Structure formats: C-alpha cells, structure tokens
C-alpha cells in the first residue's frame, strides 16, 4: 500500500467518529421525522401513510399567523440583542477604570439557569405583586395593576424582553472579542490624523465588525427561532395564542395533542426555514470573503 492510500485511510479513520455522530444524532432523526410527517402517527396502534395531508392541514390562515408571529418575534428579539450587545461591547472595550468589573457584571443573565431567570421575569410581570407593575403605579403612569402576561400585546413584548435579557451577554462578549481583534495600529493612525472617536467607530470599527455581526446574527437567529423555554414558561403560547410561535405550535400538536405526524410536518417546515437562513448566511459570508481576497 502506497503512502497516498495510507494517508487517505488514516484521514477517514480520523473522520469516522464525527461521521458516526452526524449519522446517528443528526441525520437519522431528520430522516425519521421527514418520513413520519407523511403518516398519521399518533397513539393508535396502526400508522398509515397519508402523503401530503399533514402539510395541507398546516397551510391555513391560523398557521400563517403563527409563521408571521414567529418571524416578527425573532426579528425584534435578534435586532434588539444585536444593538444592545454591540453598544455594550463598545462601552466595555473603552479604556475606562473598572471595565474588568463591568465585564463580569454582564455575565449573570447568562450564568443564571434559564428556567430560574424566566421564573424571575414571570414574577416581575405579575400584575398583583410584580415589581414592574408596582413601579409604574407608584410613578403615576397607571391607575391600577397591569397583568403583562394576561394581555396579548404586552405578553408578546414581555417574552421578547426576557429573551433579550438572556441573549444579550453572549452577543456582548462575542462582539467584544471581535473588537479586541481589530489591530490597534488602525486606531492610532486615525487618531494621529485627527479623527474623532465617532469617526473612528464609523470608519474602522463598524466595517471590520460586519463579518462578526453577520455570524452572531445568524447564531442568535437560529437560537431565537427555536426558542421554547421562554414562551412556554411565561405564557405557554397564550393568551389566546398571541405568543404562539412555530416551535410552541409544534410542541402542542406533537406532544400535547399526540398527533406525531402533524407535529413532524411542522418540525420539517421549521427545518426548511432554518436551512434557508443558513444558505443565505453562507452566501453572504462567501461574498464577503471573496471581496476581502480581491
């Protein structure tokens, strides 16, 4: 056996554990879910092939509202996290006394177990003894208690605020690391030429942060689109379905109603949307990479 064949065999042996992981943990469940989406699988003993019937059921006006709500919820949550996270990273990157302490203080929302943090926000949103409602009453903004999670409009934004609180630390630290990777020579040269702080941020920091911002936005988008814990613990998709997103609707259908076939069809649709997002991301990053090479 020549050296080239030995190298190829050795390379496949190194890849074998990863390939086995992908096949068993990722590929098999995806294929099984896709097949299941074409059946009427439920708690009954027999399972029949129903073709596209499950997909025809979900394409209706009510599910269209769920899709739109999911995209709106994801857009505002990711946008707010990126804005606050980038601004926070800029502040933490500034040469000010005690910035190490400020960096540590950004961690609690990320360190605290998610369920505990969500329950804490649920207590704060409570209309009878919640801190937010009490502060608004004392300040004279409201005449009575506000049950934020009992009203559709306020519950929707309450879940977004909670998701932002949990996700901002990750965005902040990621963007901070990206900022610290920017060569300081560029700032020193701009400062020597008389460029102000805002000009340096606009002409140096932001352009060089674009690849990192795109990557962080995609990671945050995938996590937010699939976010289940926050909405389920706070509202369980209520009131009146005003906070029901695609992942909540999938859980209700597959686990709550025991309609596994219909739930699998919804899961496949979620996978398709996320795959489209990823393809767009790879296309944008490849264009950025080709532009840098030129």
């Amino acid at each position: 056996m020549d050296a080239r064949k030995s190298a190829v065999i050795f390379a496949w042996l190194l890849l074998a554990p990863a390939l086995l992981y992908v096949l068993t943990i990722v590929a098999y469940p995806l294929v099984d879910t896709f097949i299941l989406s074409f059946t009427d699988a439920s708690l009954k003993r027999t399972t029949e092939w129903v073709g596209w019937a499950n997909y025809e059921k979900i394409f209706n006006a009510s599910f269209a509202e769920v899709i739109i709500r999911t995209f709106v919820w994801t857009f505002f949550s990711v946008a707010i996290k990126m804005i606050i996270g980038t601004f926070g990273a800029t502040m933490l990157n500034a040469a000010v006394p005690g910035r190490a302490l400020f960096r540590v203080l950004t961690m609690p929302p990320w360190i605290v177990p998610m369920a505990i943090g969500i329950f804490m926000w649920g207590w704060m949103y409570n209309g009878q003894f919640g801190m937010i409602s009490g502060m608004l009453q004392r300040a004279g903004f409201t005449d009575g208690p506000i049950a934020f999670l009992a009203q559709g409009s306020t519950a929707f934004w309450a879940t977004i605020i909670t998701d932002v609180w949990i996700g901002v630390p990750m965005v902040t630290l990621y963007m901070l690391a990206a900022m610290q990777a920017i060569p300081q020579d560029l700032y020193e040269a701009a400062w020597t030429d008389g460029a102000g702080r805002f000009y340096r941020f606009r002409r140096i920091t932001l352009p060089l942060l674009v690849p990192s911002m795109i990557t962080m936005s995609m990671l945050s988008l995938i996590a937010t689109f699939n976010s289940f814990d926050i909405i389920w613990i706070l509202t369980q998709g209520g009131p009146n379905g005003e906070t029901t997103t695609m992942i909540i609707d999938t859980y209700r259908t597959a686990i709550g109603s025991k309609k596994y076939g219909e739930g699998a069809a919804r899961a496949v649709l979620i996978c398709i949307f996320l795959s489209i997002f990823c393809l767009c991301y790879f296309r944008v990053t490849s264009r950025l990479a080709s532009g840098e090479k030129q």
Side-chain angles (χ1 to χ4, degrees):
M1 184 180 296
D2 57 13
R4 184 176 181 182
K5 289 183 178 180
S6 299
V8 171
I9 294 175
F10 182 68
W12 279 107
L13 289 175
L14 292 177
L15 290 174
L19 291 174
L20 182 63
Y21 171 82
V22 171
L23 290 175
T24 56
I25 306 300
V26 180
Y28 173 74
L30 283 176
V31 174
D32 186 63
T33 301
F34 182 74
I35 296 174
L36 192 67
S37 67
F38 292 98
T39 68
D40 63 345
S42 61
L43 287 180
K44 64 182 183 179
R45 294 183 179 180
T46 59
T47 300
E48 297 180 0
W49 187 269
V50 295
W52 296 95
N54 291 328
Y55 292 93
E56 293 174 356
K57 289 180 181 178
I58 64 178
F59 285 107
N60 51 48
S62 61
F63 192 73
E65 293 179 2
V66 173
I67 295 177
I68 295 173
R69 186 181 301 113
T70 304
F71 277 88
V72 173
W73 194 84
T74 303
F75 171 79
F76 280 104
S77 181
V78 173
I80 296 173
K81 280 187 282 190
M82 290 302 302
I83 293 172
I84 297 178
T86 304
F87 178 78
T90 304
M91 296 295 101
L92 293 177
N93 194 44
V96 295
R99 64 177 180 177
L101 176 61
F102 294 141
R103 292 177 183 178
V104 174
L105 293 177
T106 62
M107 296 300 293
W110 205 12
I111 296 175
V112 174
M114 183 178 293
I116 295 177
I118 298 171
F119 276 117
M120 178 192 72
W121 277 97
W123 281 78
M124 292 172 62
Y125 289 138
N126 190 282
Q128 299 299 323
F129 47 80
M131 183 185 73
I132 299 177
S133 179
M135 291 177 62
L136 292 175
Q137 291 182 69
R138 290 187 178 184
F141 291 106
T142 60
D143 297 330
I146 302 176
F148 291 96
L149 301 180
Q151 305 175 34
S153 57
T154 54
F156 181 81
W157 290 104
T159 56
I160 289 179
I161 292 173
T162 306
D163 183 70
V164 168
W165 181 81
I166 293 174
V168 158
M170 183 180 70
V171 177
T172 302
L173 294 178
Y174 186 92
M175 298 308 297
L176 177 61
M179 288 181 182
Q180 292 182 338
I182 298 175
Q184 293 299 315
D185 297 343
L186 299 176
Y187 293 106
E188 293 175 0
W191 179 80
T192 303
D193 292 338
R197 180 173 299 179
F198 178 75
Y199 183 86
R200 295 198 300 269
F201 179 79
R202 183 170 60 89
R203 303 292 293 184
I204 299 176
T205 306
L206 278 183
L208 294 178
L209 283 181
V210 169
S212 298
M213 293 177 71
I214 294 175
T215 301
M216 189 67 252
S217 298
M218 178 54 58
L219 294 175
S220 180
L221 186 148
I222 294 174
T224 304
F225 199 92
N226 283 323
S227 180
F228 173 82
D229 309 66
I230 295 172
I231 296 177
W232 188 256
I233 293 176
L234 288 178
T235 64
Q236 295 188 3
N240 297 323
E242 291 296 328
T243 59
T244 298
T245 57
M246 292 180 67
I247 196 71
I248 298 295
D249 183 72
T250 301
Y251 177 83
R252 281 179 167 177
T253 303
I255 307 301
S257 301
K258 304 297 188 297
K259 299 178 181 179
Y260 306 124
E262 294 183 22
R266 287 164 164 78
V268 169
L269 191 61
I270 293 175
C271 185
I272 291 174
F273 281 134
L274 292 178
S275 299
I276 294 173
F277 295 152
C278 292
L279 289 174
C280 293
Y281 164 72
F282 289 130
R283 187 170 184 179
V284 171
T285 52
S286 62
R287 285 186 176 181
L288 289 175
S290 62
E292 291 178 356
K293 291 180 180 179
Q294 293 176 359

